[in-house]
């Protein structure tokens, strides 16, 4: 029996024993909780009048509930480890020692008793960097007490499934290419895979980066940038538990399907899941008091596909130049918006000139539409102090309304229209609230104006922001994000996957917004697609500087059809969904209308097919129909692209995004 198998048997027994101990502790804790509840209900009427005993009982109960919750989390982690306790081992000879020490590496730390040396080390532990960063020979790692030098004598890699050893071998290479090929060559899942068994040296440097406040990752399609960013978050949570919790981290994701696709990664790595948000949805909620509805980004993409010339107008309203237009408008608005009058309340008096002085000098740093609130509070505080009284809510509301009437208007929609007219744009329709639908191109310009006119909430609870698909955010959107989230950030994306007619590199202007200390890292090696698919995809957009992982497969098939039905019938003939072949396949269209038509036809053919639209929140195994812009970030074993004969720049981008979704087989059908 090999050394790895012997260790697996030993550590499995210890894990099972530990789980039994935890189960006993959970059971005892539950009895304690039940006893506390019983004691409270039997005795609460006799507890002391000041409530000290009641408070002590509540605190003890809370402490026990929290302790049990922690035990349940530990039990879940240990049960997960039973499936595959470790995946690697490094034998390290410390400088000055005679015998190497073996470190087994897994998804989490495990020691049979608290305070004992771990039998298995968490992949994020300092010593685990030896496994990812060094071949045999001189090596070091940064321990809490300082740098530890020595030599890697050997490295082993293991695959364990359901507690059984599948294979083990000694590896001279960092992460053996055969293992990587097997991982990458396996079928797609409906969830993103964690990559702890195959983290590459360049990826490990990003994951373990704790120094840079703003880290920008420019990664080629299939380079693993999203996985790396999530593993980095898991690493940061592990190393800074005193200051950083899951609730302090927010991911901006493109849509709910993608959010679901990545949602299991952190729990799988031993951490709680983190908050996820669509920036579009956030903006709509912020503007709900001004407009009844907003278009979303997908409406804009559909419009750009139909009318290519409209992209320029959108860019202009999201540019640094437009921000300058807003600032000029605001400077003029200071005088135009106000009609000051004297205010008298029960003999207490403020003249027009006194109010002007308060508004323009004392409270000049407060945004314009929130400034009169400060003047009102000042007036009320002064009155209450002089009269030694407190105003009723009714009187307070009456005064607030009196001061608010000094604004010529407070309607953001009206003010935004004036801005558009001054800047030379067509204004929005002059309609009542219930008929106001905001075009997508105006959503973030209006939100920016709102934040410049009103006091806003800065999200101080968020200590780390992850922005995915960075190429899809405009200059204006980054300005808003900088104001809302003054925290550390991981910003990632691929300039080649922009959903516009031309490639846009946001890294050229990010330093102007976030400062020059941005750390920019490029990930040029693509792992997702076969060489055949990757080379085909790169030819579509003229990309030539991508390094391809050497995994070969079927050549890309291109064919032209007279109509969609003929193309879909050919697709069904090439579909390979079964237990022995592939698990996921996608028909990817250019527009929503085409996706709906393809889905309807496949249903008439009796196919078990799912449809992803902008309201979907998950996707499942089997055949999926969706548009290129909703498929972005996902991957499928087989992809069937339904392309247009006309090749506008935006349709070419759409084809590129479509092609890079394929893991093993790609069929590009032109209608």
């Amino acid at each position: 029996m090999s050394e790895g198998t012997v260790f697996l048997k030993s550590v499995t027994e210890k894990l099972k024993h530990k789980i039994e101990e935890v189960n006993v502790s959970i059971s005892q804790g539950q009895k304690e909780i039940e006893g506390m509840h019983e004691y409270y209900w039997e005795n609460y009427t006799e507890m002391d009048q000041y409530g000290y005993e009641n408070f002590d009982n509540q605190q003890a109960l809370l402490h026990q509930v929290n302790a049990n919750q922690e035990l349940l989390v530990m039990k879940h982690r240990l049960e997960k480890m039973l499936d595959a306790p470790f995946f690697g081992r490094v034998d390290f000879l410390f400088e000055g020692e005679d015998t190497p020490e073996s470190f087994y590496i897994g998804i989490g730390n495990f020691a049979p008793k608290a305070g004992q040396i771990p039998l298995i080390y968490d992949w994020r532990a300092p010593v685990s960097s030896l496994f990812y960063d060094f071949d045999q020979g001189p090596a070091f790692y940064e321990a809490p007490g300082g740098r530890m030098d020595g030599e890697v004598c050997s490295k082993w890699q293991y695959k364990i499934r359901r507690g059984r050893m599948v294979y083990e071998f000694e590896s001279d290479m960092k992460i053996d290419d055969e293992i990587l090929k097997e991982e990458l060559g396996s079928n797609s899942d409906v969830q993103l895979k964690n990559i702890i068994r195959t983290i590459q040296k360049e990826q490990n440097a990003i994951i373990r980066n704790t120094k840079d406040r703003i880290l920008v990752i420019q990664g080629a399609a299939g380079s693993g940038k999203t996985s790396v960013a999530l593993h980095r978050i898991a690493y940061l949570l592990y190393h800074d538990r005193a200051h950083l919790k899951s609730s302090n981290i927010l991911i901006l994701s493109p849509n709910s399907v993608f959010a679901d696709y990545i949602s299991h990664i952190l729990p799988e790595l031993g951490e709680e899941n983190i908050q996820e948000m669509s920036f579009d949805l956030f903006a709509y909620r912020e503007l709900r008091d001004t407009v009844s509805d907003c278009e979303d980004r997908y409406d804009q993409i559909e419009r750009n596909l139909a009318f290519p010339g409209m992209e320029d107008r959108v860019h202009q309203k999201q540019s640094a130049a437009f921000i300058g237009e807003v600032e000029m408008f605001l400077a003029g608005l200071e005088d135009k918006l106000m009609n000051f009058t004297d205010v008298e309340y029960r003999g207490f008096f403020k003249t027009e000139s006194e109010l002007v002085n308060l508004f323009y000098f004392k409270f000049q740093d407060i945004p314009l539409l929130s400034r009169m609130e400060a003047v009102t509070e000042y007036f009320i505080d002064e009155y209450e102090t002089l009269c030694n009284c407190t105003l009723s809510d009714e009187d307070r509301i009456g005064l607030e309304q009196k001061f608010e009437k000094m604004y010529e208007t407070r309607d953001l929609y009206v003010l935004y229209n004036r801005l558009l007219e001054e800047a030379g744009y067509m204004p929005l329709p002059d309609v009542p609230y219930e008929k106001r639908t905001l075009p997508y191109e105006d959503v973030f310009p209006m939100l920016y104006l709102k934040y410049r006119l009103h006091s806003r909430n800065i999200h101080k609870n968020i200590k780390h922001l992850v922005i995915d698909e960075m190429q899809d955010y405009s200059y204006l959107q980054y300005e808003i994000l900088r104001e809302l989230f003054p925290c550390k950030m991981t910003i990632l994306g691929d300039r080649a996957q922009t959903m516009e007619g031309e490639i846009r590199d946001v890294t050229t202007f990010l330093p102007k917004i976030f400062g020059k200390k941005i750390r920019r890292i490029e990930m040029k090696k693509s792992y997702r697609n076969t060489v055949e698919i990757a080379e085909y995809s790169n030819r579509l957009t003229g990309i030539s500087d991508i390094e391809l992982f050497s995994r070969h497969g079927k050549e890309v098939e291109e064919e032209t059809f007279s109509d969609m039905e003929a193309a879909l019938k050919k697709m069904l003939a090439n579909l390979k969904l079964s237990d022995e072949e592939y698990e996921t396949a996608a028909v990817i269209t250019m527009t929503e209308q085409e996706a709906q038509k393809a889905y309807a036809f496949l249903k008439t053919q009796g196919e078990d097919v799912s449809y992803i639209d902008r309201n979907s929140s998950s996707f499942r195994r089997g055949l999926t129909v969706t548009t290129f812009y909703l498929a972005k970030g996902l991957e499928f074993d087989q992809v069937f692209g339904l392309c247009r004969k006309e090749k506008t720049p935006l349709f070419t981008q759409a084809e590129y995004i479509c092609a890079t979704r394929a893991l093993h087989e790609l069929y590009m059908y032109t209608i």
Side-chain angles (χ1 to χ4, degrees):
M1 195 180 289
S2 69
E3 191 175 341
T5 306
V6 170
F7 182 76
L8 174 61
K9 188 177 179 182
S10 168
V11 83
T12 299
E13 287 303 314
K14 289 180 172 65
L15 276 165
K16 287 177 179 176
H17 182 69
K18 185 69 176 177
I19 290 169
E20 286 174 12
E21 286 183 359
V22 172
N23 278 332
V24 170
S25 297
I26 290 170
S27 180
Q28 289 173 345
Q30 194 57 43
K31 286 177 183 174
E32 285 279 333
I33 291 167
E34 288 167 7
M36 288 178 187
H37 278 300
E38 195 174 319
Y39 175 81
Y40 178 81
W41 288 113
E42 286 176 358
N43 298 281
Y44 78 97
T45 55
E46 299 170 14
M47 291 180 183
D48 61 279
Q49 60 176 318
Y50 299 108
Y52 295 135
E53 189 179 354
N54 183 24
F55 177 77
D56 289 344
N57 273 285
Q58 292 295 331
Q59 288 299 106
L61 178 61
L62 182 63
H63 176 77
Q64 188 60 56
V65 169
N66 287 341
N68 254 34
Q69 193 60 41
E70 287 176 15
L71 286 168
L72 284 167
V73 171
M74 182 193 292
K75 178 187 174 182
H76 179 70
R77 182 174 60 82
L78 293 170
E79 286 174 341
K80 192 177 282 285
M81 288 185 76
L82 264 181
D83 184 62
F86 55 91
F87 57 82
R89 186 184 104 202
V90 59
D91 296 334
F92 186 63
L93 181 64
F94 287 92
E95 202 170 66
E97 298 290 326
D98 298 323
T99 308
E101 193 171 335
S102 294
F103 297 97
Y104 284 87
I105 297 160
I107 208 156
N109 281 316
F110 173 65
K113 299 287 182 187
Q116 289 185 347
I117 294 173
L119 296 175
I120 300 168
Y121 287 84
D122 192 293
W123 65 278
R124 298 164 291 186
V127 71
S128 301
S129 64
L130 294 170
F131 180 75
Y132 297 115
D133 288 342
F134 295 98
D135 303 332
Q136 289 184 21
F140 67 90
Y141 68 93
E142 296 291 344
R147 175 167 156 158
M148 307 299 290
D149 287 278
E151 182 183 342
V152 171
C153 301
S154 64
K155 282 171 53 172
W156 287 77
Q157 292 179 252
Y158 307 93
K159 184 157 190 177
I160 301 167
R161 269 197 189 146
R162 298 182 182 88
R164 296 173 66 91
M165 185 71 73
V166 179
Y167 60 70
E168 57 181 311
F169 62 87
E170 188 173 3
S171 170
D172 291 334
M173 298 301 293
K174 170 176 53 65
I175 301 294
D176 191 87
D177 274 1
E178 290 308 311
I179 284 194
L180 190 52
K181 274 183 184 174
E182 184 187 337
E183 290 292 311
L184 298 171
S186 63
N187 288 342
S188 170
D189 201 344
V190 292
Q191 293 182 319
L192 188 67
K193 297 171 185 173
N194 84 59
I195 59 171
I196 55 170
R197 296 178 69 242
T198 57
I199 292 171
Q200 304 295 287
K201 187 173 182 178
E202 70 275 12
Q203 294 173 333
N204 197 44
I206 298 170
I207 290 168
R208 292 174 186 260
N209 179 310
T210 58
K211 295 176 183 176
D212 294 302
R213 186 174 174 277
I214 308 286
L215 183 63
V216 177
I217 304 167
Q218 162 58 42
S223 60
K225 53 189 174 293
T226 301
S227 289
V228 167
L230 292 170
H231 285 65
R232 180 177 189 234
I233 292 303
Y235 180 83
L236 294 174
L237 286 166
Y238 178 84
H239 275 267
D240 195 13
R241 295 213 186 278
H243 303 103
L244 192 66
K245 296 179 174 61
S246 297
S247 58
N248 300 137
I249 298 171
L250 175 66
I251 293 183
L252 289 186
S253 62
N255 55 59
S256 297
V257 173
F258 183 74
D260 176 68
Y261 184 59
I262 66 173
S263 63
H264 69 293
I265 286 285
L266 285 161
E268 209 170 87
L269 298 175
E271 299 295 342
E272 291 177 41
N273 220 331
I274 58 183
Q275 303 172 71
E276 169 276 327
M277 180 181 80
S278 154
F279 197 28
D280 284 356
L281 186 57
F282 171 81
Y284 306 157
R285 286 173 179 165
E286 290 285 277
L287 295 172
R288 197 178 288 158
D289 58 352
T290 304
V291 294
S292 63
D293 197 12
C294 293
E295 288 186 345
D296 61 25
R297 178 163 179 76
Y298 306 127
D299 290 313
Q300 188 69 55
I301 293 168
E302 292 280 345
R303 192 179 295 118
N304 290 345
L305 288 166
F307 308 104
M310 295 187 70
E311 287 182 49
D312 290 342
R313 192 175 68 194
V314 179
H315 289 160
Q316 288 165 7
K317 286 185 178 179
Q318 306 266 337
S319 66
F322 188 81
I323 291 175
E325 297 275 6
V326 175
E327 297 306 319
M328 284 177 60
F329 173 74
L330 289 170
L333 199 61
E334 287 272 345
D335 295 324
K336 295 175 186 175
L337 197 62
M338 306 310 301
N339 295 308
F340 293 100
T341 58
D342 297 343
V343 176
E344 186 272 333
Y345 179 75
R346 294 180 181 175
F348 185 67
F349 199 77
K350 283 286 179 194
T351 65
E352 179 183 331
S353 62
E354 286 177 308
L355 293 176
V356 166
N357 187 59
L358 288 170
F359 192 87
Y360 288 117
F361 296 98
K362 184 171 181 63
F363 298 116
Q364 63 179 323
D365 293 332
I366 296 175
L368 190 59
L369 292 183
S370 296
R371 201 179 301 171
M372 195 54 85
E373 294 169 20
V375 174
T376 308
E377 279 302 316
Y378 186 87
F379 182 94
I380 291 171
D381 285 346
E382 200 170 334
Y383 175 81
E384 289 180 338
T385 303
L386 286 169
C387 299
N388 193 24
C389 67
T390 301
L391 287 187
S392 67
D393 289 344
E394 188 178 344
D395 286 344
R396 177 180 279 271
I397 290 167
L399 263 177
E400 287 169 353
Q401 289 173 347
K402 187 178 289 190
F403 277 94
E404 273 188 21
K405 284 178 182 174
M406 295 185 200
Y407 288 109
E408 185 249 316
T409 181
R410 286 172 57 84
D411 188 334
L412 183 66
Y413 189 88
V414 171
L415 293 172
Y416 182 68
N417 258 345
R418 290 180 189 176
L419 163 65
L420 290 180
E421 287 183 298
E422 284 193 21
Y425 295 95
M426 281 282 289
L428 302 172
D430 183 11
V431 292
Y433 172 83
E434 61 275 6
K435 292 184 178 179
R436 292 175 180 176
T437 298
L438 196 60
Y440 186 74
E441 67 186 63
D442 294 295
V443 169
F444 288 95
M446 184 179 281
L447 183 62
Y448 181 81
L449 182 64
K450 178 176 181 175
Y451 287 158
R452 290 292 286 111
L453 287 169
H454 288 274
S455 297
R456 62 190 174 278
N457 291 324
I458 294 172
H459 298 263
K460 292 181 180 177
N461 181 54
I462 301 301
K463 297 179 181 178
H464 200 109
L465 181 69
V466 180
I467 303 174
D468 204 354
E469 303 292 355
M470 66 180 180
Q471 70 281 357
D472 293 333
Y473 290 80
S474 66
Y475 190 102
L476 181 68
Q477 287 172 310
Y478 280 113
E479 276 286 359
I480 294 171
L481 288 170
R482 180 180 63 84
E483 290 293 328
L484 292 177
F485 302 100
C487 61
K488 294 183 177 181
M489 296 185 188
T490 301
I491 305 173
L492 59 141
D494 175 15
R495 58 176 168 259
Q497 290 189 67
T498 183
M499 291 190 286
E500 295 174 357
E502 58 184 50
I503 289 175
R504 203 165 54 93
D505 189 355
V506 302
T507 62
T508 57
F509 62 70
L510 285 180
K512 296 175 187 174
I513 297 170
F514 295 109
K516 293 181 179 178
K517 289 191 176 178
I518 283 179
R519 175 76 186 280
R520 185 172 177 270
I521 297 175
E522 287 217 34
M523 297 175 67
K524 291 188 175 183
K525 190 165 186 177
S526 177
Y527 297 95
R528 177 190 294 139
N529 321 111
T530 61
V531 169
E532 290 76 13
I533 293 170
E535 287 180 342
Y536 173 87
S537 305
N538 293 343
R539 283 197 299 272
L540 287 171
T541 51
I543 297 171
S544 59
D545 61 343
I546 303 300
E547 185 185 346
L548 304 180
F549 182 76
S550 183
R551 180 173 71 88
H552 287 274
K554 190 175 183 294
E555 289 290 340
V556 177
E557 285 193 18
E558 293 182 277
E559 200 168 340
T560 301
F561 297 88
S562 59
D563 57 51
M564 182 186 284
E565 289 188 7
L568 290 172
K569 285 176 181 176
K570 186 62 181 286
M571 180 277 295
L572 290 171
N574 285 318
L575 193 62
K576 298 177 183 176
L577 289 176
S578 70
D579 293 338
E580 292 76 31
E581 295 180 288
Y582 296 135
E583 293 188 14
T584 61
V587 173
I588 300 179
T589 67
M590 301 294 102
T591 68
E592 186 174 42
Q593 187 178 11
E594 290 166 1
Q596 290 169 347
K597 185 179 175 184
Y599 175 69
F601 175 78
L602 290 169
K603 292 295 282 185
T604 65
Q605 301 299 299
E607 286 297 314
D608 182 15
V609 57
S610 57
Y611 178 52
I612 293 177
D613 64 14
R614 64 187 75 187
N615 298 314
S616 301
S617 57
S618 63
F619 82 96
R620 57 188 179 90
R621 284 180 176 81
L623 181 61
T624 296
V625 176
T626 191
T627 55
F628 76 94
Y629 49 78
L630 287 168
K632 197 158 67 148
L634 308 177
E635 55 187 33
F636 305 87
D637 295 318
Q638 283 183 297
V639 166
F640 300 87
L642 301 188
C643 309
R644 293 282 191 88
K645 187 178 180 181
E646 65 266 34
K647 301 299 179 190
T648 66
L650 184 51
F651 278 125
T652 300
Q653 280 297 113
E655 287 183 24
Y656 174 78
I657 292 168
C658 170
T660 53
R661 303 306 95 209
L663 281 169
H664 308 303
E665 293 187 12
L666 174 64
Y667 301 81
M668 297 295 272
Y669 295 160
T670 298
I671 311 299

